[in-house]
Amino acid sequence: MKKSLFILLLLISTICIAQTSVVNYNQSNLAKRVTMDIKAEKIGLVLQKIGKAGGFYFTYNGALFARDSIVNINVRNKPVREILDELFNGTVDYKENEEYIILRYAVNHFSIEAESIVTAENLYSITGRVVDIQTGKRVKNASVYEKRLLQSALTDEEGFFSLKFKGEHSGIVLTASKETYRDTSIIFLSSIDIKPEGYDDPDKEKGTFMSNMLDNFKIGRWLTSSKQRIQNMNIPNFLTNMPLQASLTPGLSSRGSMSGSVVNKFSLNLVGGYTAGVDGLEMAGVFNLNKADVRYVQVAGVLNMVGGSTEGVQMAGVFNVVGKDANGAQLSAVYNHVKGNVNGIQMSTINYVNGFTEGLQLSAVSNTVNGNLRGFQMTGILNAVRKESNGMQISAVGNVALKDMRGVQFSGLFNYAKHNKGLQLGLINLADTSTGVSLGLINIVKHGYHKLSVSSNDLINANVSFKSGNANLYTIFMLGKNFVDNENIETFGLGLGHDFFAGRRFSLSTELTAQQLHLGRWDYANILNKFHLNFQLRLFKGFSVYGGPVFNYYVTEAPNDYVVASGYKSQIAPSNSKKINGNKAWLGWSAGFTLF
């Protein structure tokens, strides 16, 4: 036990020492510089031109401003943020999300008013209020935070906040954020404070493009507190990296209420944890919640829920949920859910992917891919692909491909493909159209091969066959009766056929059939196997005649002295038949006509 604990602590120490605390920001669209000269243009078109020049898009509510308002703009090498400030005169706030700049109503402005500043040895304490500049009212549920030290507080009903910082600090920078308000910052140097307008936040142009998809899941909202969700709405795009964090629950963390803004190299959560992401290893006794991306290894006793993408191995005792893409292995006992694409392996009772899947899905009940599949699906009940399937589907019950199927479908009961361009193996094979092969007891192509044949042959003078599938391979269901006194025979059977070539008038096909001959009793099996070579002539649309030689091979379990029922044919094989492996074989003929 002591040796195992020592190894675990050594691993944690190695991970922590090997990493450094780095703030990781992506390029900001608001910081891009634009040059343009526009006169008397509608503001909606001006925004389109700014977005085109910067390589991004604007998104906004149509009621935010009058899009047909006429504006003039003449700027040279100016940041997009400053251009927007001039256009909207502070009435609109800007948030970034990947390739978008989101314009939001933000006519309100507030300030941070310090009430008490206490400095002591290794302690810095600030209390104050957040106040609406225009109305003078105190603002509740505003986030007040220090980015560098990762400490924050929410204002109460009276706009009051209190923050304490341990250690020696030459300066503290507090930022206040809230929906519909413009962010404001204030710097404190010892007991001297500078007003917000006197401080220019160096990080204001840095965007992280974090989309908090975690809040879109009900269970994610249930496992986090209302204060954490308010914090996410107030400061959605601040993100930093740290080497280590530990949590008992999402509200009891070494990073406090700022845990949702921190990406950790190592995260240990006794019950559950809530972080911005992981870039190393995360373990939890019950659940892990991550706003953004997770890389390398994530393990939970019950649940892993990631708002961004995963790379590496994700394991959970019950289920895994990923808001974007999953690259690597996703393993759970009950359910795996990916809203984006998968490149790797999924193993669970049920697997679901909303996007493209390349790799392997293994499940006990079902695998579902809403996008394209390029890989392998295996399940106990049902595999389903909404778009193109390029690979293999194996199921004990059924496989479904709702668009092109270019691989293999193998099932114990049924296969369905909208456009079969591969191979179907199952008891029942269904397709809307088919240029591939369907091999099974029943093969039906909706817009394919449907023919009804009436024929006669050297043994049975009246036969009816239904043929379905396509020219590559079609299934034959057949019934027949020999209407001759004292030589009665009833028969039924199955077969497969193939058209080698089909011209407008002439075609050639081969068919292999097996049929049971009923000779008045069901005591013994009497199987007549046939190989047909049919030459077909199309007389007009929907009507053809055909004929050709047939090789017959008759296998019966009846003894040589068996007496058939009265009125039934006693000698099936003709006198000129040959014995092959103890069974009778002979050449015969078949001729008939085909409808449809």
Side-chain angles (χ1 to χ4, degrees):
M1 180 65 183
K2 290 183 179 180
K3 184 177 180 181
S4 300
L5 182 60
F6 172 78
I7 294 172
L8 178 61
L9 292 173
L10 181 61
L11 175 63
I12 295 171
S13 301
T14 303
I15 294 173
C16 295
I17 292 170
Q19 312 301 331
T20 57
S21 177
V22 180
V23 178
N24 180 22
Y25 297 104
N26 296 324
Q27 175 63 38
S28 169
N29 289 319
L30 288 169
K32 292 179 178 177
R33 294 181 177 272
V34 173
T35 297
M36 58 178 54
D37 185 7
I38 299 174
K39 294 182 180 178
E41 191 78 84
K42 291 181 180 179
I43 193 170
L45 294 175
V46 171
L47 291 175
Q48 289 182 18
K49 291 181 179 180
I50 294 173
K52 185 176 181 181
F56 55 84
Y57 302 93
F58 285 103
T59 179
Y60 50 85
N61 189 317
L64 186 63
F65 52 83
R67 285 177 290 177
D68 57 354
S69 299
I70 303 299
V71 298
N72 299 312
I73 181 171
N74 185 359
V75 295
R76 293 188 62 81
N77 197 31
K78 203 168 189 178
V80 171
R81 180 186 289 276
E82 293 184 18
I83 298 173
L84 296 176
D85 285 340
E86 291 180 11
L87 284 175
F88 299 110
N89 196 27
T91 62
V92 174
D93 191 20
Y94 329 122
K95 296 290 182 182
E96 297 190 63
N97 185 355
E98 297 181 351
E99 72 268 32
Y100 294 94
I101 291 179
I102 304 169
L103 305 182
R104 306 185 305 173
Y105 178 77
V107 70
N108 301 315
H109 297 260
F110 52 23
S111 65
I112 302 173
E113 296 183 355
E115 293 186 352
S116 172
I117 303 172
V118 177
T119 59
E121 186 176 356
N122 293 323
L123 180 65
Y124 201 112
S125 175
I126 302 173
T127 61
R129 299 182 188 275
V130 176
V131 179
D132 187 300
I133 293 176
Q134 292 174 305
T135 65
K137 293 183 178 179
R138 295 161 178 175
V139 181
K140 69 176 182 178
N141 287 334
S143 294
V144 181
Y145 58 100
E146 219 289 346
K147 295 181 179 180
R148 182 173 56 89
L149 301 177
L150 295 177
Q151 288 184 242
S152 69
L154 284 177
T155 57
D156 63 13
E157 297 288 332
E158 297 298 320
F160 178 82
F161 71 89
S162 177
L163 286 168
K164 293 182 179 180
F165 307 96
K166 294 182 179 180
E168 295 183 1
H169 306 288
S170 58
I172 299 294
V173 180
L174 294 187
T175 300
S177 298
K178 183 176 170 62
E179 286 284 323
T180 75
Y181 281 86
R182 296 294 298 269
D183 288 359
T184 188
S185 297
I186 185 171
I187 185 170
F188 296 86
L189 300 172
S190 299
S191 60
I192 303 171
D193 64 277
I194 302 173
K195 294 301 180 183
E197 57 270 22
Y199 174 71
D200 186 23
D201 185 359
D203 294 334
K204 72 179 182 181
E205 304 293 354
K206 297 177 180 177
T208 61
F209 316 135
M210 277 187 58
S211 60
N212 187 17
M213 298 183 69
L214 198 64
D215 287 344
N216 295 333
F217 299 110
K218 289 184 178 180
I219 191 168
R221 295 195 298 271
W222 181 68
L223 291 173
T224 55
S225 67
S226 59
K227 287 186 177 182
Q228 288 169 319
R229 293 194 295 274
I230 292 171
Q231 189 94 308
N232 289 334
M233 289 187 293
N234 290 343
I235 46 175
N237 291 330
F238 174 67
L239 181 67
T240 188
N241 291 355
M242 298 297 287
L244 174 67
Q245 81 95 32
S247 298
L248 177 61
T249 65
L252 297 174
S253 166
S254 59
R255 299 297 170 198
S257 59
M258 291 294 286
S259 64
S261 297
V262 180
V263 175
N264 301 284
K265 292 293 181 182
F266 177 74
S267 178
L268 178 62
N269 308 305
L270 295 182
V271 177
Y274 176 62
T275 68
V278 175
D279 191 21
L281 171 64
E282 181 172 51
M283 297 185 295
V286 181
F287 64 89
N288 294 308
L289 304 178
N290 307 95
K291 285 170 58 176
D293 300 338
V294 170
R295 291 205 303 170
Y296 305 131
V297 179
Q298 186 180 50
V299 182
V302 176
L303 161 70
N304 289 311
M305 184 169 287
V306 177
S309 299
T310 61
E311 179 182 343
V313 179
Q314 188 182 49
M315 295 186 291
V318 180
F319 61 99
N320 295 305
V321 179
V322 176
K324 290 187 178 179
D325 301 336
N327 299 287
Q330 192 180 48
L331 314 172
S332 74
V334 178
Y335 182 56
N336 289 320
H337 181 106
V338 177
K339 294 192 72 174
N341 303 321
V342 166
N343 189 336
I345 299 173
Q346 279 189 316
M347 295 180 62
S348 187
T349 302
I350 299 173
N351 293 311
Y352 173 87
V353 179
N354 191 53
F356 171 85
T357 298
E358 183 173 11
L360 171 66
Q361 283 187 314
L362 297 175
S363 72
V365 175
S366 70
N367 296 308
T368 301
V369 176
N370 267 353
N372 298 330
L373 169 69
R374 187 164 64 198
F376 183 89
Q377 286 183 317
M378 176 179 275
T379 188
I381 297 180
L382 180 67
N383 291 311
V385 178
R386 184 173 292 275
K387 294 186 179 179
E388 293 187 0
S389 176
N390 294 276
M392 179 175 286
Q393 293 179 303
I394 298 178
S395 172
V397 177
N399 299 302
V400 174
L402 295 181
K403 288 195 175 179
D404 293 354
M405 193 282 291
R406 290 185 170 88
V408 177
Q409 288 182 321
F410 179 76
S411 74
L413 182 58
F414 77 92
N415 296 304
Y416 170 79
K418 187 174 180 66
H419 306 295
N420 176 25
K421 300 179 180 180
L423 173 63
Q424 292 180 311
L425 298 169
L427 187 65
I428 302 171
N429 298 304
L430 308 171
D432 285 13
T433 62
S434 176
T435 56
V437 175
S438 299
L439 186 59
L441 179 63
I442 300 174
N443 301 304
I444 298 175
V445 180
K446 183 178 180 181
H447 304 290
Y449 206 97
H450 305 101
K451 295 185 178 182
L452 183 66
S453 295
V454 178
S455 65
S456 181
N457 58 53
D458 58 295
L459 183 64
I460 300 169
N461 57 21
N463 299 278
V464 178
S465 302
F466 176 72
K467 305 174 183 180
S468 66
N470 63 17
N472 290 326
L473 189 69
Y474 54 87
T475 303
I476 305 168
F477 297 90
M478 54 195 307
L479 296 172
K481 183 175 176 64
N482 192 43
F483 292 95
V484 177
D485 291 343
N486 296 319
E487 292 188 358
N488 188 25
I489 300 174
E490 290 103 13
T491 182
F492 60 90
L494 299 170
L496 298 172
H498 172 72
D499 286 346
F500 279 96
F501 65 90
R504 296 190 62 183
R505 290 288 182 182
F506 180 74
S507 63
L508 175 68
S509 68
T510 57
E511 295 176 351
L512 184 64
T513 61
Q515 55 194 113
Q516 165 72 23
L517 303 184
H518 178 243
L519 303 175
R521 299 190 182 97
W522 296 101
D523 301 354
Y524 300 99
N526 304 298
I527 306 299
L528 180 61
N529 303 286
K530 290 173 173 279
F531 177 77
H532 306 250
L533 181 62
N534 295 325
F535 299 89
Q536 302 177 99
L537 177 65
R538 183 180 181 226
L539 299 180
F540 52 84
K541 184 177 181 180
F543 185 83
S544 302
V545 294
Y546 70 90
V550 177
F551 175 76
N552 297 278
Y553 187 73
Y554 182 58
V555 179
T556 179
E557 295 179 347
N560 293 331
D561 58 352
Y562 180 73
V563 178
V564 300
S566 176
Y568 283 83
K569 187 175 180 66
S570 58
Q571 183 176 342
I572 301 300
S575 58
N576 62 347
S577 63
K578 304 294 182 181
K579 273 196 174 185
I580 300 177
N581 294 329
N583 300 305
K584 298 292 183 68
W586 71 95
L587 285 174
W589 57 269
S590 176
F593 62 88
T594 299
L595 302 175
F596 313 122

